[in-house]
PDB file of all heavy atoms in Angstrom:
ATOM      1  N   LYS A 272      50.605  37.806 -23.375  1.00 63.00           N
ATOM      2  CA  LYS A 272      49.503  37.916 -22.424  1.00 63.00           C
ATOM      3  C   LYS A 272      49.241  39.388 -22.153  1.00 63.00           C
ATOM      4  O   LYS A 272      50.058  40.256 -22.469  1.00 63.00           O
ATOM      5  CB  LYS A 272      49.805  37.175 -21.140  1.00 63.00           C
ATOM      6  CG  LYS A 272      51.076  37.676 -20.455  1.00 63.00           C
ATOM      7  CD  LYS A 272      51.327  36.899 -19.182  1.00 63.00           C
ATOM      8  CE  LYS A 272      52.555  37.392 -18.488  1.00 63.00           C
ATOM      9  NZ  LYS A 272      52.816  36.643 -17.208  1.00 63.00           N
ATOM     10  N   GLY A 273      48.120  39.664 -21.514  1.00 58.00           N
ATOM     11  CA  GLY A 273      47.766  41.034 -21.216  1.00 58.00           C
ATOM     12  C   GLY A 273      48.662  41.670 -20.163  1.00 58.00           C
ATOM     13  O   GLY A 273      49.269  40.949 -19.342  1.00 58.00           O
ATOM     14  N   ARG A 274      48.758  42.957 -20.191  1.00 62.00           N
ATOM     15  CA  ARG A 274      49.524  43.722 -19.227  1.00 62.00           C
ATOM     16  C   ARG A 274      48.601  44.450 -18.271  1.00 62.00           C
ATOM     17  O   ARG A 274      47.490  44.819 -18.612  1.00 62.00           O
ATOM     18  CB  ARG A 274      50.415  44.728 -19.950  1.00 62.00           C
ATOM     19  CG  ARG A 274      51.359  44.111 -20.974  1.00 62.00           C
ATOM     20  CD  ARG A 274      52.500  43.346 -20.328  1.00 62.00           C
ATOM     21  NE  ARG A 274      53.439  42.902 -21.298  1.00 62.00           N
ATOM     22  CZ  ARG A 274      54.483  43.644 -21.730  1.00 62.00           C
ATOM     23  NH1 ARG A 274      54.681  44.831 -21.229  1.00 62.00           N
ATOM     24  NH2 ARG A 274      55.332  43.136 -22.614  1.00 62.00           N
ATOM     25  N   ASN A 275      49.111  44.714 -17.099  1.00 69.00           N
ATOM     26  CA  ASN A 275      48.378  45.521 -16.139  1.00 69.00           C
ATOM     27  C   ASN A 275      48.538  46.981 -16.492  1.00 69.00           C
ATOM     28  O   ASN A 275      49.672  47.490 -16.627  1.00 69.00           O
ATOM     29  CB  ASN A 275      48.919  45.260 -14.737  1.00 69.00           C
ATOM     30  CG  ASN A 275      48.082  45.958 -13.664  1.00 69.00           C
ATOM     31  OD1 ASN A 275      47.042  46.570 -14.002  1.00 69.00           O
ATOM     32  ND2 ASN A 275      48.506  45.832 -12.415  1.00 69.00           N
ATOM     33  N   LEU A 276      47.391  47.706 -16.659  1.00 66.00           N
ATOM     34  CA  LEU A 276      47.485  49.114 -17.070  1.00 66.00           C
ATOM     35  C   LEU A 276      48.041  49.993 -16.001  1.00 66.00           C
ATOM     36  O   LEU A 276      48.422  51.128 -16.242  1.00 66.00           O
ATOM     37  CB  LEU A 276      46.078  49.586 -17.480  1.00 66.00           C
ATOM     38  CG  LEU A 276      45.472  48.915 -18.698  1.00 66.00           C
ATOM     39  CD1 LEU A 276      44.077  49.514 -18.976  1.00 66.00           C
ATOM     40  CD2 LEU A 276      46.362  49.072 -19.920  1.00 66.00           C
ATOM     41  N   LEU A 277      48.088  49.497 -14.758  1.00 70.00           N
ATOM     42  CA  LEU A 277      48.668  50.272 -13.675  1.00 70.00           C
ATOM     43  C   LEU A 277      50.209  50.108 -13.559  1.00 70.00           C
ATOM     44  O   LEU A 277      50.839  50.764 -12.745  1.00 70.00           O
ATOM     45  CB  LEU A 277      48.049  49.865 -12.324  1.00 70.00           C
ATOM     46  CG  LEU A 277      46.527  50.041 -12.219  1.00 70.00           C
ATOM     47  CD1 LEU A 277      46.023  49.580 -10.848  1.00 70.00           C
ATOM     48  CD2 LEU A 277      46.150  51.513 -12.446  1.00 70.00           C
ATOM     49  N   ASP A 278      50.764  49.291 -14.433  1.00 74.00           N
ATOM     50  CA  ASP A 278      52.205  49.094 -14.403  1.00 74.00           C
ATOM     51  C   ASP A 278      52.910  50.325 -14.964  1.00 74.00           C
ATOM     52  O   ASP A 278      52.620  50.787 -16.066  1.00 74.00           O
ATOM     53  CB  ASP A 278      52.552  47.844 -15.251  1.00 74.00           C
ATOM     54  CG  ASP A 278      54.017  47.498 -15.165  1.00 74.00           C
ATOM     55  OD1 ASP A 278      54.745  48.146 -14.360  1.00 74.00           O
ATOM     56  OD2 ASP A 278      54.460  46.618 -15.922  1.00 74.00           O
ATOM     57  N   THR A 279      53.806  50.895 -14.184  1.00 75.00           N
ATOM     58  CA  THR A 279      54.506  52.112 -14.616  1.00 75.00           C
ATOM     59  C   THR A 279      55.483  51.856 -15.744  1.00 75.00           C
ATOM     60  O   THR A 279      55.880  52.807 -16.443  1.00 75.00           O
ATOM     61  CB  THR A 279      55.269  52.728 -13.410  1.00 75.00           C
ATOM     62  OG1 THR A 279      56.171  51.758 -12.882  1.00 75.00           O
ATOM     63  CG2 THR A 279      54.294  53.188 -12.334  1.00 75.00           C
ATOM     64  N   GLN A 280      55.942  50.605 -15.897  1.00 78.00           N
ATOM     65  CA  GLN A 280      56.901  50.297 -16.983  1.00 78.00           C
ATOM     66  C   GLN A 280      56.209  49.999 -18.312  1.00 78.00           C
ATOM     67  O   GLN A 280      56.881  49.674 -19.278  1.00 78.00           O
ATOM     68  CB  GLN A 280      57.748  49.050 -16.558  1.00 78.00           C
ATOM     69  CG  GLN A 280      58.466  49.267 -15.228  1.00 78.00           C
ATOM     70  CD  GLN A 280      59.488  50.404 -15.312  1.00 78.00           C
ATOM     71  OE1 GLN A 280      60.046  50.677 -16.391  1.00 78.00           O
ATOM     72  NE2 GLN A 280      59.720  51.082 -14.190  1.00 78.00           N
ATOM     73  N   LEU A 281      54.881  50.084 -18.311  1.00 74.00           N
ATOM     74  CA  LEU A 281      54.164  49.778 -19.519  1.00 74.00           C
ATOM     75  C   LEU A 281      54.384  50.877 -20.552  1.00 74.00           C
ATOM     76  O   LEU A 281      54.325  52.053 -20.226  1.00 74.00           O
ATOM     77  CB  LEU A 281      52.661  49.644 -19.213  1.00 74.00           C
ATOM     78  CG  LEU A 281      51.793  48.941 -20.233  1.00 74.00           C
ATOM     79  CD1 LEU A 281      52.220  47.474 -20.349  1.00 74.00           C
ATOM     80  CD2 LEU A 281      50.353  49.013 -19.835  1.00 74.00           C
ATOM     81  N   PRO A 282      54.636  50.512 -21.803  1.00 75.00           N
ATOM     82  CA  PRO A 282      54.846  51.567 -22.832  1.00 75.00           C
ATOM     83  C   PRO A 282      53.609  52.416 -23.017  1.00 75.00           C
ATOM     84  O   PRO A 282      52.469  51.975 -22.804  1.00 75.00           O
ATOM     85  CB  PRO A 282      55.155  50.726 -24.110  1.00 75.00           C
ATOM     86  CG  PRO A 282      55.603  49.403 -23.589  1.00 75.00           C
ATOM     87  CD  PRO A 282      54.828  49.153 -22.306  1.00 75.00           C
ATOM     88  N   GLN A 283      53.849  53.674 -23.444  1.00 73.00           N
ATOM     89  CA  GLN A 283      52.763  54.613 -23.578  1.00 73.00           C
ATOM     90  C   GLN A 283      51.800  54.177 -24.671  1.00 73.00           C
ATOM     91  O   GLN A 283      50.591  54.362 -24.587  1.00 73.00           O
ATOM     92  CB  GLN A 283      53.323  56.003 -23.872  1.00 73.00           C
ATOM     93  CG  GLN A 283      52.302  57.122 -23.870  1.00 73.00           C
ATOM     94  CD  GLN A 283      51.828  57.433 -22.449  1.00 73.00           C
ATOM     95  OE1 GLN A 283      52.432  57.000 -21.481  1.00 73.00           O
ATOM     96  NE2 GLN A 283      50.731  58.172 -22.325  1.00 73.00           N
ATOM     97  N   TYR A 284      52.318  53.611 -25.763  1.00 69.00           N
ATOM     98  CA  TYR A 284      51.470  53.207 -26.873  1.00 69.00           C
ATOM     99  C   TYR A 284      50.569  52.054 -26.464  1.00 69.00           C
ATOM    100  O   TYR A 284      49.490  51.847 -27.045  1.00 69.00           O
ATOM    101  CB  TYR A 284      52.299  52.815 -28.102  1.00 69.00           C
ATOM    102  CG  TYR A 284      53.135  51.543 -27.921  1.00 69.00           C
ATOM    103  CD1 TYR A 284      52.612  50.292 -28.157  1.00 69.00           C
ATOM    104  CD2 TYR A 284      54.464  51.652 -27.526  1.00 69.00           C
ATOM    105  CE1 TYR A 284      53.368  49.166 -27.972  1.00 69.00           C
ATOM    106  CE2 TYR A 284      55.230  50.539 -27.378  1.00 69.00           C
ATOM    107  CZ  TYR A 284      54.675  49.269 -27.575  1.00 69.00           C
ATOM    108  OH  TYR A 284      55.445  48.160 -27.414  1.00 69.00           O
ATOM    109  N   TYR A 285      50.983  51.267 -25.440  1.00 65.00           N
ATOM    110  CA  TYR A 285      50.151  50.170 -24.986  1.00 65.00           C
ATOM    111  C   TYR A 285      49.035  50.689 -24.053  1.00 65.00           C
ATOM    112  O   TYR A 285      47.916  50.192 -24.063  1.00 65.00           O
ATOM    113  CB  TYR A 285      50.971  49.136 -24.234  1.00 65.00           C
ATOM    114  CG  TYR A 285      50.234  47.854 -23.908  1.00 65.00           C
ATOM    115  CD1 TYR A 285      50.274  46.758 -24.744  1.00 65.00           C
ATOM    116  CD2 TYR A 285      49.491  47.757 -22.738  1.00 65.00           C
ATOM    117  CE1 TYR A 285      49.591  45.584 -24.418  1.00 65.00           C
ATOM    118  CE2 TYR A 285      48.806  46.602 -22.406  1.00 65.00           C
ATOM    119  CZ  TYR A 285      48.849  45.546 -23.257  1.00 65.00           C
ATOM    120  OH  TYR A 285      48.181  44.376 -22.938  1.00 65.00           O
ATOM    121  N   ARG A 286      49.353  51.739 -23.257  1.00 67.00           N
ATOM    122  CA  ARG A 286      48.413  52.260 -22.287  1.00 67.00           C
ATOM    123  C   ARG A 286      47.349  53.124 -22.940  1.00 67.00           C
ATOM    124  O   ARG A 286      46.216  53.190 -22.481  1.00 67.00           O
ATOM    125  CB  ARG A 286      49.152  53.082 -21.241  1.00 67.00           C
ATOM    126  CG  ARG A 286      48.298  53.498 -20.055  1.00 67.00           C
ATOM    127  CD  ARG A 286      49.080  54.322 -19.034  1.00 67.00           C
ATOM    128  NE  ARG A 286      50.174  53.584 -18.465  1.00 67.00           N
ATOM    129  CZ  ARG A 286      51.462  53.846 -18.751  1.00 67.00           C
ATOM    130  NH1 ARG A 286      51.797  54.820 -19.559  1.00 67.00           N
ATOM    131  NH2 ARG A 286      52.413  53.138 -18.183  1.00 67.00           N
ATOM    132  N   GLU A 287      47.667  53.783 -23.998  1.00 68.00           N
ATOM    133  CA  GLU A 287      46.723  54.703 -24.673  1.00 68.00           C
ATOM    134  C   GLU A 287      46.366  54.147 -26.041  1.00 68.00           C
ATOM    135  O   GLU A 287      47.197  53.560 -26.732  1.00 68.00           O
ATOM    136  CB  GLU A 287      47.306  56.078 -24.803  1.00 68.00           C
ATOM    137  CG  GLU A 287      47.528  56.815 -23.472  1.00 68.00           C
ATOM    138  CD  GLU A 287      47.979  58.228 -23.676  1.00 68.00           C
ATOM    139  OE1 GLU A 287      48.150  58.626 -24.848  1.00 68.00           O
ATOM    140  OE2 GLU A 287      48.129  58.917 -22.658  1.00 68.00           O
TER     141      GLU A 287
END
Side-chain angles (χ1 to χ4, degrees):
K272 59 180 181 179
R274 303 287 186 88
N275 187 5
L276 297 180
L277 300 179
D278 186 7
T279 58
Q280 303 297 329
L281 198 64
Q283 188 73 13
Y284 67 85
Y285 189 93
R286 189 180 299 109
E287 294 186 357

